[in-house]
Amino acid sequence: MPWWVATRERTLLSESNSHPTGAVAAADAEVELVPATHPSEKRTFGELLTSDLRALPVIIGLVALWIFFILQNDVFLTPRNLSNLLIQSTVVGVMALGLMFVLLVKEIDLSVAAINGVTAVLMAKLIVEFGASPWVAIPLAIVVGALIGCVSARWVTFVGVPSFVVTLGLGLGLNGLQLILLPTTARYGLMGTSVETIALAKIDGLAAWGVLAIGVGLYGLLVLSSIVRRRRAGLSVSMVKGLALPLVGVTLFGAVVVAILNAHQGIPVVTLVFSALLGLGGYVLNETQFGLHLYAVGNNDEAARRAGIKVSRVKMAAFAIAGGISAIAGVIGASRSLGVGVFSGGGVGGGTLLLECIAAAVIGGVSLFGGRGSIHAPLLGSLVIGSVQNGLNLMGVHDEIRLIVTGLLLVLAVSIDKLIEKFTGQQSF
Amino acid sequence: MSEPMAAVAGRPNEAASQAPLISMRDIRKSYGSVHALRGASLDVLPGEVVALVGDNGAGKSTLVKVMAGVIGFDSGDYLLEGQPAKIRTPADATALGIQTVYQDLSLCNNLDAVQNLFLGRELTGPRWFGRRVRRAECEVRAREVLARMRLGSLSLTRPVGAMSGGQRQNIAIARSILWTPKVVIFDEPTAALSHSAAAQVAALIRSLADDGLGVVVVSHDIHHFVVNSTDRIEVMRLGGNVASFRSKDVTGEQVVNAMVGGNEGANLAV
């Protein structure tokens, strides 16, 4: 029995299609059907730009930025500076990664920076005042971040208040809570608590290559298992395009990065954390049912609901992920600044941290209107923002210029996206 | 006139001998003081395409929404294969074999055909592995269904938002029959389609009935689709049934007359 013959004997599209009145036999008698040509999967360049090659403009932009900075300053391309650049981009990148889950389901979380700040302060308070181990305080901070995300999601889906409003208000509230949690000195120093070593720790030498090998190995297994399944199912498989090309690409890219980082102390642990989150996020978004449902809900939540997807649960998970990841970014931020204070989480209102993590996601290609954006977005977006900051810094240009440039790049990135859609006549998804 | 309808429709061996898949009797539904349905009835027979027509506000959409579990009803009987149907949500209806192809198609434009076909019912791996979607398996099954619908030329990897209206309609239909339903409800299937695409959809709908499904079609396309491509026409007005025709016996004008209350359809009713 074929798979689709579940309950009824006489069923549509069953083996009985040899029957003269079988399902489709009647169809061609009446109308001329579209000739059954072979599936044409060949795409024009314009079509590719709106699908598989959507990241290309951002990558070109990033390369252009780098060339500009390299021409301006000899220091930019040194391993030491590139290592710094990566560390500088981490907090914004991690935040953008978390925020992306919320943006994918057509919501927004304006409280991510506040979650970052309040959970960092909570962690520091537990460690400094209550003598908790970082092994307890850090996971607790992450859980609290996720719970805060759940609360906003519940409010959004149950009460029906737009997430923009809920999280704006919640963010301000959390800012207040952050100030309350702080001691009268308005600061918890984290020196000597071993939290401060997170941002400084690096994995170098052979260990760094080992880490790369593990990463590439996991990725290879994933790609290989897809190929094996396709082959077993009798579907066409391209060994070059499906297996060799992505694997070689990832290996080469990883090898270059590790080589550069090894030339200056090794892979920063925070970069490793970001990479691991990117890998995990990529798996979730591209491979799992939950990832698929995120895209479905973001594009057409009514269709998702009719298909039996529990939309509010998917949204809650997205908010929880954003909250939890913001807390991770908070820990990294606290470690980098060797302590927490009013400034944690970008300061009151989220400051540039909030704006930059939204900007990073959008520059990377995540749509604010849901259902669109890939895992490379937070990486590319945060690298663009981090490069501008780092490069202009090296040139001795002040912060105000950096803000102007970042703002212009944000608008430029979205404009290029729109122009590609306009000129190719293809809508990107 | 006493002749069984299905026999007239040309499938004496099927519809005539079989009990209705769905039987709705005297269904009433009010929204506050608005009576959307005032005792509407409809039988859905296997192997038959029944058109539900009526002017705006006649209650046909409300009736199919009740049938699909989107809304509840106040009183009346809703029998599924002779038993009272326990349908409270669209998911209940789907589980009981009642599929709906909505007018807006309910597709996710950013997903491809395979993902849309299996949306919400993906074949997945184990939970501890994050329920990884078994893409290859889904794709094989999708290919089989599409091939049997003569839709083998559809791209399985392009987002459906980049496809034509006819292709999207076809994907929505393929999704409705993927899990072997008993009844498929179509809401305005030919609206917004070109003439040739509409003809293709009509042929597909006919093929479903030929394979023994009950098909309900809500349509405004009286003169082309309803008169030519259905077996029976139920006319609704003001929340109730006003006329019933065998499609091959009537002209579009007669149906429209009944819809707007011209001659009550009395002398033409079956």
Side-chain angles (χ1 to χ4, degrees):
Chain A
M1 273 292 214
W3 60 274
W4 58 82
V5 184
T7 47
R8 298 181 315 128
E9 265 182 53
R10 212 187 165 297
T11 182
L12 178 79
L13 305 176
S14 74
E15 297 295 303
S16 70
N17 75 331
S18 54
H19 195 270
T21 58
V24 207
D28 32 21
E30 287 173 37
V31 286
E32 200 180 322
L33 289 163
V34 178
T37 51
H38 280 290
S40 167
E41 305 288 348
K42 284 256 180 278
R43 301 178 192 202
T44 60
F45 185 65
E47 225 179 316
L48 281 173
L49 268 184
T50 55
S51 54
D52 295 350
L53 294 183
R54 267 200 70 207
L56 194 63
V58 193
I59 293 175
I60 292 173
L62 190 58
V63 170
L65 266 181
W66 279 36
I67 291 174
F68 174 76
F69 287 132
I70 290 166
L71 293 177
Q72 294 294 320
N73 196 307
D74 307 336
V75 182
F76 187 81
L77 206 58
T78 57
R80 180 189 147 89
N81 186 56
L82 291 177
S83 175
N84 267 341
L85 168 60
L86 277 185
I87 298 175
Q88 282 168 354
S89 312
T90 308
V91 172
V92 167
V94 170
M95 297 275 287
L97 172 60
L99 185 64
M100 178 182 164
F101 282 81
V102 175
L103 295 178
L104 279 180
V105 295
K106 212 178 181 175
E107 302 285 353
I108 192 160
D109 192 340
L110 295 178
S111 67
V112 282
I115 294 175
N116 170 314
V118 80
T119 53
V121 169
L122 180 72
M123 171 201 71
K125 194 180 185 71
L126 287 174
I127 293 174
V128 174
E129 266 186 31
F130 299 94
S133 149
W135 295 104
V136 176
I138 292 175
L140 199 73
I142 295 170
V143 169
V144 168
L147 284 177
I148 296 172
C150 286
V151 170
S152 348
R154 187 74 185 149
W155 209 286
V156 169
T157 55
F158 188 71
V159 186
V161 183
S163 53
F164 189 93
V165 178
V166 171
T167 57
L168 183 65
L170 185 73
L172 286 173
L174 292 175
N175 283 153
L177 187 62
Q178 180 178 340
L179 298 180
I180 293 172
L181 286 175
L182 284 167
T184 43
T185 56
R187 189 172 194 286
Y188 283 118
L190 287 168
M191 283 302 276
T193 60
S194 75
V195 172
E196 92 280 9
T197 57
I198 296 172
L200 301 172
K202 297 199 170 88
I203 297 167
D204 62 348
L206 215 53
W209 292 106
V211 166
L212 176 68
I214 292 172
V216 170
L218 286 174
Y219 178 70
L221 277 178
L222 195 70
V223 177
L224 192 68
S225 75
S226 296
I227 295 271
V228 168
R229 279 189 184 168
R230 285 189 74 82
R231 176 154 278 189
R232 241 189 250 153
L235 295 167
S236 66
V237 180
S238 161
M239 277 311 202
V240 177
K241 264 174 101 179
L243 182 69
L245 220 57
L247 211 53
V248 169
V250 165
T251 311
L252 276 180
F253 177 74
V256 169
V257 172
V258 170
I260 291 171
L261 291 175
N262 261 352
H264 177 75
Q265 298 176 350
I267 308 175
V269 165
V270 292
T271 301
L272 198 60
V273 170
F274 186 25
S275 310
L277 287 173
L278 282 173
L280 193 64
Y283 176 76
V284 169
L285 291 181
N286 297 326
E287 296 288 330
T288 70
Q289 186 180 37
F290 169 65
L292 189 61
H293 289 178
L294 285 171
Y295 286 99
V297 167
N299 183 267
N300 191 342
D301 58 346
E302 186 53 31
R305 188 173 288 121
R306 286 174 186 164
I309 296 171
K310 296 194 171 66
V311 173
S312 52
R313 232 188 262 180
V314 172
K315 284 189 176 175
M316 184 178 280
F319 274 94
I321 289 170
I325 289 184
S326 298
I328 295 177
V331 174
I332 296 173
S335 174
R336 283 198 64 208
S337 53
L338 306 176
V340 299
V342 181
F343 57 86
S344 292
V348 173
T352 51
L353 178 64
L354 176 61
L355 298 179
E356 281 180 353
C357 73
I358 298 174
V362 173
I363 289 174
V366 181
S367 167
L368 290 173
F369 301 101
R372 227 181 78 179
S374 313
I375 192 62
H376 57 250
L379 175 64
L380 291 175
S382 64
L383 280 179
V384 167
I385 288 177
S387 300
V388 169
Q389 184 182 7
N390 179 290
L392 291 182
N393 230 342
L394 289 179
M395 287 165 62
V397 178
H398 290 294
D399 221 29
E400 50 267 33
I401 304 296
R402 176 179 71 80
L403 292 175
I404 293 171
V405 172
T406 308
L408 287 176
L409 283 176
L410 170 67
V411 178
L412 188 68
V414 179
S415 305
I416 289 173
D417 216 40
K418 284 288 157 204
L419 288 176
I420 288 174
E421 282 193 357
K422 201 168 169 182
F423 287 117
T424 60
Q426 302 280 341
Q427 207 186 340
S428 10
F429 291 105
Chain B
M1 283 294 159
S2 61
E3 206 177 352
M5 215 173 315
V8 179
R11 260 166 300 282
N13 53 338
E14 285 178 16
S17 59
Q18 290 185 41
L21 290 166
I22 287 179
S23 185
M24 304 184 87
R25 288 274 161 268
D26 202 25
I27 301 285
R28 288 169 192 276
K29 171 73 182 174
S30 305
Y31 296 101
S33 61
V34 180
H35 300 287
L37 293 175
R38 313 169 182 236
S41 299
L42 181 69
D43 281 344
V44 182
L45 305 177
E48 189 193 46
V49 181
V50 53
L52 204 53
V53 303
D55 226 337
N56 292 332
K60 54 193 192 308
S61 292
T62 312
L63 190 61
V64 293
K65 277 181 188 162
V66 169
M67 203 182 294
V70 177
I71 55 174
F73 54 99
D74 301 332
S75 69
D77 294 315
Y78 181 176
L79 304 178
L80 182 64
E81 295 183 313
Q83 303 295 319
K86 293 191 185 73
I87 294 175
R88 297 191 193 290
T89 66
D92 292 344
T94 309
L96 290 169
I98 301 166
Q99 284 280 356
T100 309
V101 179
Y102 294 95
Q103 181 172 9
D104 65 7
L105 304 184
S106 271
L107 297 174
C108 290
N109 287 335
N110 56 345
L111 304 182
D112 64 27
V114 179
Q115 291 166 329
N116 267 294
L117 284 180
F118 284 87
L119 189 63
R121 303 173 84 164
E122 294 84 3
L123 312 169
T124 61
R127 195 193 167 92
W128 59 268
F129 216 61
R131 295 193 201 281
R132 189 177 179 202
V133 175
R134 294 177 176 274
R135 169 77 194 190
E137 261 173 74
C138 291
E139 198 170 316
V140 167
R141 295 177 188 192
R143 273 177 200 277
E144 282 168 349
V145 167
L146 291 173
R148 279 158 201 259
M149 286 171 69
R150 296 286 165 90
L151 298 171
S153 60
L154 271 181
S155 165
L156 296 180
T157 52
R158 281 173 76 183
V160 301
M163 295 183 177
S164 72
Q167 290 174 321
R168 289 158 48 78
Q169 178 75 262
N170 288 333
I171 291 170
I173 297 174
R175 175 165 70 182
S176 76
I177 61 174
L178 188 65
W179 304 93
T180 59
K182 298 177 181 117
V183 174
V184 183
I185 303 165
F186 289 89
D187 192 9
E188 296 287 357
T190 54
L193 288 189
S194 70
H195 185 73
S196 62
Q200 199 183 352
V201 165
L204 266 174
I205 289 175
R206 168 56 59 201
S207 71
L208 301 188
D210 284 344
D211 224 52
L213 271 72
V215 181
V216 181
V217 184
V218 173
S219 181
H220 275 113
D221 187 5
I222 310 291
H223 294 279
H224 297 107
F225 177 78
V226 170
V227 172
N228 296 322
S229 307
T230 66
D231 300 317
R232 181 161 54 100
I233 303 169
E234 290 288 338
V235 184
M236 290 187 71
R237 183 145 45 87
L238 301 172
N241 307 58
V242 290
S244 178
F245 301 108
R246 284 164 299 185
S247 305
K248 59 174 240 175
D249 291 347
V250 286
T251 63
E253 283 72 25
Q254 291 168 322
V255 176
V256 172
N257 264 339
M259 274 168 60
V260 298
N263 56 8
E264 295 291 315
N267 52 345
L268 291 155
V270 177

